[in-house]
Amino acid sequence: MNRQALRAAARKRLDDIAQPYGWPDDELNRWLDEAVREASLRAGLTVATTAIPCRAGVASYSLPYRVRYVLDAWWTRQVSPATPRAPLERVDRDAFDVWARPTTNLADPTRYLIAGRTIRLHPTPKDAGYLEMRGRLVPPPMESDDDEPDISPYLHEHLVEWVMYQAGLKRDVDYNLPDPLAHEAIFARYFGPRPSELTLQGWLEYGATDTVIPNAWRYGR
């Protein structure tokens, strides 16, 4: 379903099919984009690969804003002699501090640490290259009515529940929906509960998808 079809489905559910609309198009479009982000965040639906160009002698880089969770990472040296893509090992802060001494060690990276929104490589790259990551990303917004959500098509119709939820929260004497939380509960039944930002940050830094930090990450894999 493209954005136009999703918006029409939402209007049918809202009984808002005659102009002037109670909920304008731009409002429904915004809630549809929000629904896609929420669905992807809760269920880990948008998995893609992104890359960061790295400079010689620089070990720390900001993660792209769309990256919410890193599944795998690789290093590729781009100068002659170029190297094949090599997997990087994720470590935690304690292990990284041990392996990172001395800091003057320059070579092809073999490990990485995520702290906050920063990814650090060890050893520090001796040459320029690329840090490639496969991860769960924030899906892009739909720019036109022909665009489709960046999740599996069989899930598209369930995005309308989030629109119903947001529409019900809007305070308007002429357009009022009872029990909007029921629609959020249905949405959560399909896509799962929303993890807190603190939990998401813990997952990003430690590579786990629960609230407990496993010992395996405490000492490296």
Side-chain angles (χ1 to χ4, degrees):
M1 300 173 70
N2 60 23
R3 187 174 72 177
Q4 183 177 28
L6 283 167
R7 196 173 59 240
R11 289 207 178 282
K12 185 175 181 180
R13 291 279 304 278
L14 291 167
D15 193 19
D16 186 33
I17 57 177
Q19 297 192 33
Y21 295 134
W23 292 274
D25 283 354
D26 61 347
E27 198 165 45
L28 297 187
N29 291 343
R30 184 172 69 252
W31 291 337
L32 284 169
D33 279 332
E34 190 176 279
V36 179
R37 291 195 302 271
E38 283 291 322
S40 182
L41 175 67
R42 295 170 185 229
L45 300 177
T46 306
V47 176
T49 300
T50 187
I52 299 175
C54 301
R55 303 189 303 276
V58 179
S60 297
Y61 298 88
S62 296
L63 284 173
Y65 80 95
R66 290 188 61 204
V67 175
R68 298 306 306 263
Y69 185 81
V70 175
L71 297 166
D72 303 287
W74 301 268
W75 168 258
T76 303
R77 182 175 1 119
Q78 291 297 301
V79 298
S80 180
T83 60
R85 189 175 75 165
L88 298 176
E89 179 184 12
R90 180 200 291 267
V91 296
D92 74 356
R93 300 188 193 200
D94 293 339
F96 190 92
D97 288 343
V98 172
W99 279 315
R101 300 190 185 107
T103 57
T104 55
N105 182 21
L106 300 180
D108 287 336
T110 58
R111 302 179 176 94
Y112 71 96
L113 162 78
I114 296 176
R117 296 291 303 173
T118 298
I119 187 166
R120 293 173 58 195
L121 301 174
H122 175 72
T124 299
K126 181 180 180 180
D127 301 296
Y130 285 96
L131 169 63
E132 187 178 356
M133 296 171 289
R134 184 176 68 92
R136 296 172 184 163
L137 307 185
V138 177
M142 292 177 280
E143 300 290 346
S144 73
D145 281 353
D146 292 328
D147 288 347
E148 296 187 2
D150 191 22
I151 62 175
S152 297
Y154 79 92
L155 295 172
H156 288 182
E157 62 181 301
H158 305 310
L159 298 171
V160 174
E161 297 297 339
W162 186 264
V163 178
M164 299 289 291
Y165 163 61
Q166 291 289 14
L169 293 179
K170 182 179 178 180
R171 295 182 178 275
D172 191 303
V173 295
D174 296 320
Y175 298 92
N176 188 24
L177 294 179
D179 198 12
L181 292 179
H183 296 286
E184 197 278 336
I186 296 173
F187 185 86
R189 190 167 67 204
Y190 287 115
F191 299 108
R194 191 190 201 284
S196 70
E197 287 298 318
L198 181 62
T199 297
L200 287 170
Q201 188 60 41
W203 292 350
L204 178 65
E205 291 194 19
Y206 288 94
T209 53
D210 55 39
T211 56
V212 179
I213 300 170
N215 286 334
W217 295 119
R218 189 169 301 283
Y219 302 105
R221 285 190 286 185

